[in-house]
Amino acid sequence: MLRSQSEKSSMPTVKAVVLFLLLWPTSIHAQQGQSAYQLLSGCSADNDGGEVQEDCVLPEPLLHHFFSGSVTCVSGPDATHLGETFRSDVSGLSSYVRAGEDACVEVFWSPAGVDAPVLDDQDQDGIPDYVQMVEREAHEVLVFARAQGFLPPLALNGQGELVPCSSEYRVPLVLRNFDAGDGQFVREACDTPEGGAHPVCSGTMFLENDFAEQHYDSVQEAVRIVVSHELFHAVQSAYVYELSGWISEGTATWFEEFYDAEQSDFERLTRLYFSEHTRRLSDRQRGPGDGFAYGASLFFYYLASVYGDDVILNLFSVLSEGVSEDDAFDTLLHQEGHSLPFVFADFARWNLFTGTRAQDGYGYDNASRFAMVGLESLENVDRAFDLVVKVDPLAAKYTFFQSTRVGELSLRGADGWPTPWVELVSLDEPTNATLGGLLHEGAVRYEANTPYVLMLTASGLEGTHAGYVSVRPDPVVDEMEDMGLPQMDMGGEDMGMDMSSEGLDEDMESEDMPSDLTILEPTESEAGGCSVSAVQYDQSRGVLPAWLFVFCLVFFKGLPRLFRRRDV
């Protein structure tokens, strides 16, 4: 049977058309994301945050608030190449500096136009009251930061050199109208000081000119919150040239609370973490509307609550020595005798007892003011089964567990995967030292009709962690006692009962792990024992649904026959 040359050449075309139809929705989704990113930001950038227009620079995570997923672009670079200098154009603007040697900030504003602030001047000194309020707040923020031991922000002197800000060389604070957001700190001049380990930077702070139609209770509150947040970015830049978003925004949002515990912006932003606690704490920003890094402030608040407020100052002191962020945390926490995974597990436990689950004497002060982590749920737990669990480093998962029977939980690792930490946390006794028990240290007993949470965190900082939690209820003997029947020895060892499901992951490569929270049912083997011989894989995260895979296989295998014809 032969096929004509034209028929042969048509086959690749047909296959290409079919593949295009199958993959077209994914392509459209990516293009829509790209278009939305460009539309909201006013900049061109690839999906990974690559090149942008030369005249429009994304502020990345330095924008204070993302109200509707949009960002604000400003003319000029976020930071120049090392050794170069850039100053924001303040020509044509009015300025105000307080009298005295301790002045460190100069406020610039437009006397007219869209960027003009409210020009009310009740004391008739020629300076708008709003301008004076902003300068006064900025001054108090920097005085407070200095009193806590933090370095002052940097400024440029007359020779273009970086020096600590002073009454002679000040940090510019420019009032402008924001289309989205309400504040921004832009690094402008960076260089490595003599004897320094890495570059440090000066910059300009931008602040909303009137806070009209904003969500704050008052203009005074808005200024207090945003100025403290953005000026802490200026303080950060005096220590290190560049920070990951979760540290940059997390510590700046923490500083809001440190400076003024009465404001509620910090609590509101921590909801961004509570709603995505299964996400790695140090995860990068996933688009212009992603505020997860602000929610990471909860971790720094936890550190300050446990180790004292100086822990954040010490963190920046270690970072200024030129070490990596991971090494900085190792250095900092090893001084306390702990590791980052250990500290994160305790942090995850604190986060379980917030909101309506808050318990007096445990965790955060006034923990009820915070949002709550979400709990997964399991059905029909009054039986023996194995539970597949997975978690990423610096992420936490919580599964509610309550059985009508007493029993035992144990943890077993999976070949090719780091083993996670799993803790059985009692919701009734949060002040207990072990809170139920640590499965990675041995089997843990659970009581009947007692609410627990299986808390899952990673034991290391590299790669997804995975394993199996074995749920083994005790044999039911109460009924036999009630009926006057003799009790039977149900020892698994004597009766050949393999309750640990050994061999489940024999010859199992890491990519063969079922999806998270898949229940593996123990079934009777031919020998009468109990082992896992049937595994139901959750395909919800598969690359292709099974029906689509079969369709493609049959289609591409059988399609050529539709185009064949017999030679005559």
Side-chain angles (χ1 to χ4, degrees):
M1 187 181 295
L2 300 176
R3 197 181 311 163
S4 68
Q5 186 65 32
S6 61
E7 289 171 332
K8 293 179 181 179
S9 63
S10 69
M11 289 307 302
T13 303
V14 174
K15 291 182 179 181
V17 170
V18 174
L19 283 176
F20 172 78
L21 292 175
L22 291 174
L23 299 177
W24 181 56
T26 303
S27 175
I28 291 296
H29 177 76
Q31 292 174 9
Q32 288 175 341
Q34 172 80 351
S35 300
Y37 186 76
Q38 296 174 5
L39 177 63
L40 292 174
S41 67
C43 302
S44 291
D46 58 32
N47 289 332
D48 293 324
E51 294 298 323
V52 299
Q53 297 173 0
E54 294 183 358
D55 60 345
C56 190
V57 175
L58 292 172
E60 298 175 346
L62 294 179
L63 189 64
H64 181 227
H65 291 126
F66 297 98
F67 292 122
S68 58
S70 56
V71 300
T72 299
C73 289
V74 297
S75 60
D78 180 32
T80 61
H81 296 293
L82 300 183
E84 299 179 2
T85 60
F86 166 80
R87 298 182 190 226
S88 296
D89 184 9
V90 294
S91 59
L93 302 182
S94 302
S95 67
Y96 169 68
V97 180
R98 73 168 43 230
E101 296 182 356
D102 58 347
C104 206
V105 172
E106 183 172 5
V107 180
F108 293 87
W109 79 94
S110 299
V114 67
D115 290 325
V118 177
L119 299 177
D120 294 348
D121 183 14
Q122 293 185 3
D123 57 8
Q124 297 184 354
D125 60 356
I127 306 298
D129 297 335
Y130 180 78
V131 172
Q132 290 181 314
M133 178 177 63
V134 168
E135 191 282 333
R136 183 168 55 251
E137 198 64 60
H139 175 76
E140 291 178 3
V141 166
L142 294 182
V143 169
F144 176 82
R146 290 290 300 275
Q148 308 309 313
F150 288 100
L151 295 176
L154 299 177
L156 286 173
N157 64 14
Q159 290 74 45
E161 300 169 332
L162 294 175
V163 296
C165 68
S166 64
S167 59
E168 186 176 4
Y169 307 114
R170 298 173 293 273
V171 176
L173 193 163
V174 180
L175 303 180
R176 62 185 298 268
N177 180 54
F178 278 80
D179 293 328
D182 47 25
Q184 185 181 23
F185 178 75
V186 180
R187 294 172 297 176
E188 295 176 339
C190 300
D191 207 349
T192 304
E194 184 176 353
H198 52 67
V200 291
C201 304
S202 67
T204 294
M205 176 184 161
F206 294 88
L207 181 70
E208 171 64 27
N209 64 333
D210 56 14
F211 286 95
E213 300 180 358
Q214 299 279 18
H215 70 284
Y216 299 99
D217 292 337
S218 67
V219 173
Q220 290 79 7
E221 179 195 56
V223 170
R224 192 168 182 81
I225 290 171
V226 182
V227 167
S228 62
H229 183 105
E230 298 304 334
L231 279 184
F232 195 74
H233 284 313
V235 171
Q236 294 169 347
S237 295
Y239 287 92
V240 60
Y241 163 68
E242 191 172 19
L243 288 169
S244 296
W246 75 285
I247 299 178
S248 173
E249 293 302 339
T251 55
T253 306
W254 162 83
F255 186 78
E256 294 179 27
E257 180 75 1
F258 187 39
Y259 174 65
D260 178 18
E262 297 300 319
Q263 53 78 36
S264 60
D265 194 59
F266 165 73
E267 287 81 5
R268 185 176 64 83
L269 291 173
T270 59
R271 296 176 190 171
L272 299 170
Y273 176 77
F274 280 105
S275 64
E276 293 191 272
H277 55 82
T278 61
R279 182 173 167 183
R280 183 170 180 148
L281 183 68
S282 57
D283 193 15
R284 67 179 180 87
Q285 190 181 9
R286 296 181 180 179
D290 182 10
F292 182 73
Y294 296 89
S297 58
L298 186 67
F299 179 68
F300 297 100
Y301 183 74
Y302 159 83
L303 290 179
S305 298
V306 174
Y307 301 108
D309 295 325
D310 285 348
V311 70
I312 309 301
L313 173 63
N314 295 338
L315 173 63
F316 280 98
S317 297
V318 174
L319 287 169
S320 69
E321 297 173 359
V323 301
S324 68
E325 293 173 352
D326 287 345
D327 289 342
F329 277 104
D330 283 343
T331 300
L332 185 70
L333 297 177
H334 280 161
Q335 295 173 359
E336 306 292 341
H338 297 145
S339 65
L340 184 54
F342 174 88
V343 169
F344 184 85
D346 190 53
F347 167 65
R349 194 181 307 117
W350 277 37
N351 295 338
L352 181 56
F353 295 97
T354 60
T356 58
R357 291 194 290 263
Q359 300 281 348
D360 292 338
Y362 182 79
Y364 303 108
D365 290 338
N366 191 19
S368 60
R369 74 188 193 272
F370 291 114
M372 296 191 295
V373 296
L375 304 182
E376 300 284 347
S377 61
L378 296 173
E379 296 181 357
N380 190 17
V381 297
D382 300 332
R383 59 195 172 91
F385 62 91
D386 285 350
L387 185 69
V388 177
V389 291
K390 292 182 182 180
V391 68
D392 289 328
L394 300 183
K397 294 184 178 181
Y398 308 85
T399 302
F400 183 76
F401 179 87
Q402 184 171 349
S403 175
T404 60
R405 300 170 62 180
V406 298
E408 183 176 273
L409 299 176
S410 60
L411 174 67
R412 186 166 55 84
D415 289 345
W417 298 75
T419 303
W421 283 344
V422 182
E423 184 171 343
L424 183 66
V425 183
S426 170
L427 293 179
D428 287 341
E429 300 179 3
T431 57
N432 186 291
T434 60
L435 298 171
L438 306 173
L439 272 66
H440 50 276
E441 293 183 355
V444 172
R445 300 287 299 173
Y446 61 86
E447 300 298 327
N449 301 314
T450 301
Y452 295 100
V453 168
L454 280 170
M455 189 186 80
L456 181 67
T457 59
S459 59
L461 298 176
E462 299 295 333
T464 299
H465 290 49
Y468 304 91
V469 172
S470 296
V471 180
R472 298 294 182 261
D474 289 352
V476 179
V477 296
D478 293 342
E479 291 85 347
M480 292 186 288
E481 292 178 352
D482 294 339
M483 298 173 61
L485 298 176
Q487 297 187 26
M488 298 178 59
D489 183 2
M490 298 293 289
E493 181 177 351
D494 294 340
M495 300 185 65
M497 301 291 285
D498 178 13
M499 301 304 289
S500 63
S501 301
E502 291 295 338
L504 174 64
D505 56 350
E506 290 181 1
D507 302 321
M508 179 180 284
E509 300 295 334
S510 60
E511 62 268 19
D512 291 331
M513 279 290 293
S515 295
D516 186 23
L517 293 184
T518 299
I519 292 179
L520 310 180
E521 305 284 357
T523 58
E524 284 192 24
S525 67
E526 294 180 357
C530 182
S531 62
V532 175
S533 59
V535 178
Q536 294 296 324
Y537 284 81
D538 180 358
Q539 297 290 348
S540 61
R541 297 185 184 179
V543 177
L544 285 177
W547 67 267
L548 185 56
F549 174 80
V550 173
F551 169 79
C552 292
L553 185 64
V554 173
F555 184 81
F556 289 114
K557 189 72 175 177
L559 184 64
R561 299 185 182 183
L562 298 178
F563 292 88
R564 294 176 183 173
R565 66 181 180 184
R566 296 182 179 275
D567 262 2
V568 293

